[in-house]
């Protein structure tokens, strides 16, 4: 297989149904909210950026960046990758790594001075390993019982 090329495309009227259709395996559902819920958040909450991840013309995953002001859950104003998923048929093929790399490139181009956080359900070692491989570091913090990882702005 040649080099995987993943593109981010904004979720629009043209592709939101495709986004809702892509899902993870049953046993992974406890790790990530369904895409329809993320799309509602992206529409009605401010500072949400939702993208389909495409391999050529096929949507194979979804990511949503979210900005939160400090609150009782987390004491710092901060950008998060709030949702990240790769559809079941595309898992374990390198798409997760490539998709996250592309997403981090997009984020750095648009928000060069911003740190980025992501959280992982404790026990989701696959996700945590992926995040660490791409430069996130476990902070020792927890948010809603999930482990917080931080990627510091270059």
């Amino acid at each position: 297989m040649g080099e995987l090329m993943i593109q981010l495309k904004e979720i629009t009227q043209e592709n939101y149904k495709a986004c809702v259709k892509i899902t993870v395996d049953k046993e992974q559902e406890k790790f990530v909210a369904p895409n329809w819920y993320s799309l509602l958040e992206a529409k009605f909450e401010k500072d949400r950026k939702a993208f389909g991840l495409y391999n050529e013309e096929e949507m194979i995953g979804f990511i949503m960046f979210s900005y939160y002001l400090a609150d009782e859950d987390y004491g710092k104003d901060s950008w998060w990758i709030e949702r990240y998923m790769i559809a079941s048929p595309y898992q374990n093929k390198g798409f997760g790594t490539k998709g996250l790399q592309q997403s981090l490139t997009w984020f750095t181009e648009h928000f060069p001075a911003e740190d980025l956080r992501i959280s992982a359900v404790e026990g989701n070692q696959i996700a945590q390993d992926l995040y660490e491989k791409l430069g996130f570091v476990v902070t020792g913090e927890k948010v809603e019982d999930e482990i917080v990882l931080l990627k510091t702005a270059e």
Side-chain angles (χ1 to χ4, degrees):
M1 197 151 101
E3 180 68 14
L4 291 179
M5 284 302 296
I6 303 290
Q7 275 187 302
L8 274 69
K9 295 184 187 173
E10 277 195 64
I11 301 294
T12 62
Q13 189 174 351
E14 279 68 53
N15 64 3
Y16 81 93
K17 288 181 180 165
C19 183
V20 169
K21 277 189 191 129
I22 60 173
T23 56
V24 293
D25 288 332
K26 277 269 174 270
E27 65 273 10
Q28 295 171 318
E29 286 174 357
K30 62 181 180 288
F31 295 141
V32 66
N35 290 350
W36 63 262
Y37 183 78
S38 299
L39 293 181
L40 278 175
E41 287 184 315
K43 176 125 183 85
F44 293 108
E45 305 274 346
K46 66 183 188 41
D47 296 326
R48 300 288 189 282
K49 312 231 174 276
F51 298 96
L53 299 171
Y54 282 80
N55 177 40
E56 292 166 6
E57 296 306 303
E58 185 86 20
M59 192 187 302
I60 56 115
F62 174 76
I63 190 161
M64 184 168 76
F65 296 97
S66 303
Y67 184 76
Y68 284 99
L69 295 171
D71 62 13
E72 63 279 357
D73 284 331
Y74 196 77
K76 300 179 187 97
D77 296 352
S78 46
W79 274 104
W80 294 78
I81 293 178
E82 189 167 21
R83 302 283 190 283
Y84 183 61
M85 63 83 75
I86 298 294
S88 304
Y90 300 98
Q91 292 183 8
N92 305 312
K93 297 187 173 138
F95 290 109
T97 304
K98 261 287 181 263
L100 197 53
Q101 278 169 335
Q102 278 304 108
S103 301
L104 293 172
T105 299
W106 178 90
F107 185 82
T108 305
E109 283 168 5
H110 290 81
F111 301 97
E114 295 287 345
D115 293 345
L116 184 61
R117 289 167 177 82
I118 195 166
S119 68
V121 173
E122 222 166 340
N124 188 355
Q125 201 56 46
I126 292 170
Q128 195 176 324
D129 290 346
L130 170 63
Y131 306 154
E132 292 186 70
K133 182 167 78 176
L134 294 182
F136 285 89
V137 178
V138 175
T139 63
E141 300 164 307
K142 288 253 176 107
V143 65
E144 295 177 357
D145 283 339
E146 295 190 12
I147 295 162
V148 175
L149 296 95
L150 169 69
K151 190 170 186 354
T152 310
E154 310 278 303

